[in-house]
Amino acid sequence: FLDLIHSLVQKMSWWEKDNPSCDGILLYMPDMSASIENQLNNYILATMMATFMNLSMVILDAPSDSGVFGSSSQSQLGCADMPSVLSSLVKPPEWLSSKCPVPCKKTHGYSDWNNLRQSSVDGIPETVCDSDEGHQSSVFVLGG
């Protein structure tokens, strides 16, 4: 199903990325308290946003030791032991991720990104930070 969504979004994007580097990133932070079904729905929306904003998209799940959510759950679809971590189910395609890692790991941890995401009253918060490769990255942080 996600392959179909990825191919449709790729076809909707009528331009090629001008700069396939990691200078512009949409950092998607799934809401770990939401069902995996809602996380997937929000992932699809984030994919379309990144595509139309001409940004690379990277998923940042909560650390496993954060206690935000257990290792498995009973899904609304009735599947026992369905993974609750989105990145265990979805790997963004290369045309979307540009093979970018989580940005600015040396200066920004999960809690830093989460605080930035929660600080926005309207819109998607943006910050510029020095990437681990030594150049500046513009990062838009989106949760859902």
Side-chain angles (χ1 to χ4, degrees), residues 35-37 73-83:
S35 69
I36 196 69
E37 294 85 358
S73 67
Q74 178 76 23
S75 79
Q76 293 174 354
L77 299 176
C79 302
D81 295 324
M82 181 175 240

Side-chain angles (χ1 to χ4, degrees), residues 118-135:
Q118 292 175 340
S119 69
S120 178
V121 183
D122 57 349
I124 302 173
E126 176 187 12
T127 189
V128 176
C129 59
D130 292 325
S131 72
D132 298 341
E133 292 78 31
H135 58 84

